[in-house]
Amino acid sequence: MREMLTPTSAIAGMGMDAQVALITDGRFSGGTRGASIGHVSPEAMEGGPIAAIRNGDIILIDIPNRAIQAKLTDDELKKRLSGWKRPKSKAPGGYLYRYARDVSSAGEGAIL
């Protein structure tokens, strides 16, 4: 799970932190500003629904009820995910490769 301080800083630096929400399967530090929704699980890397999102899709964010929903029909979501392929790991070997290969989803505790 990548740290999202760089993208949230860029959004804030452009003065758009009141208009833009960042939705990610990544994580946040204490320096994050604006609407930032992280730890979405299952992750895009696992083929979760976030992997199907495209530029221009409408996302409903209900902060008081802690809910988020993509305005996609079930058929459209299935269609998009049917063509999804897991990206190749960027870790060539060693501990990072083992971690990427063996650790479960963050929604399950990111354990071996």
Side-chain angles (χ1 to χ4, degrees):
M1 297 174 69
R2 295 190 65 189
E3 195 342 281
M4 294 287 113
L5 185 57
T6 299
T8 57
S9 295
I11 292 168
M14 291 185 286
M16 299 184 70
D17 52 325
Q19 292 86 24
V20 174
L22 177 64
I23 303 167
T24 178
D25 47 18
R27 62 187 175 84
F28 297 103
S29 68
T32 301
R33 293 185 1 203
S36 300
I37 302 163
H39 301 273
V40 175
S41 183
E43 294 87 345
M45 189 71 167
E46 294 293 321
I50 196 171
I53 302 301
R54 297 182 182 161
N55 286 340
D57 286 347
I58 296 173
I59 310 295
L60 299 177
I61 302 169
D62 183 350
I63 293 172
N65 291 309
R66 301 176 57 101
I68 183 169
Q69 178 186 9
K71 293 295 285 179
L72 298 173
T73 65
D74 289 341
D75 288 341
E76 179 65 17
L77 185 61
K78 285 180 189 177
K79 178 181 166 188
R80 291 183 186 186
L81 289 175
S82 72
W84 180 84
K85 290 186 173 115
R86 184 184 190 109
K88 288 190 176 204
S89 175
K90 295 179 183 176
Y95 288 111
L96 186 56
Y97 171 78
R98 181 175 175 233
Y99 180 87
R101 182 192 69 200
D102 295 339
V103 173
S104 69
S105 166
E108 298 171 6
I111 57 172
L112 287 171

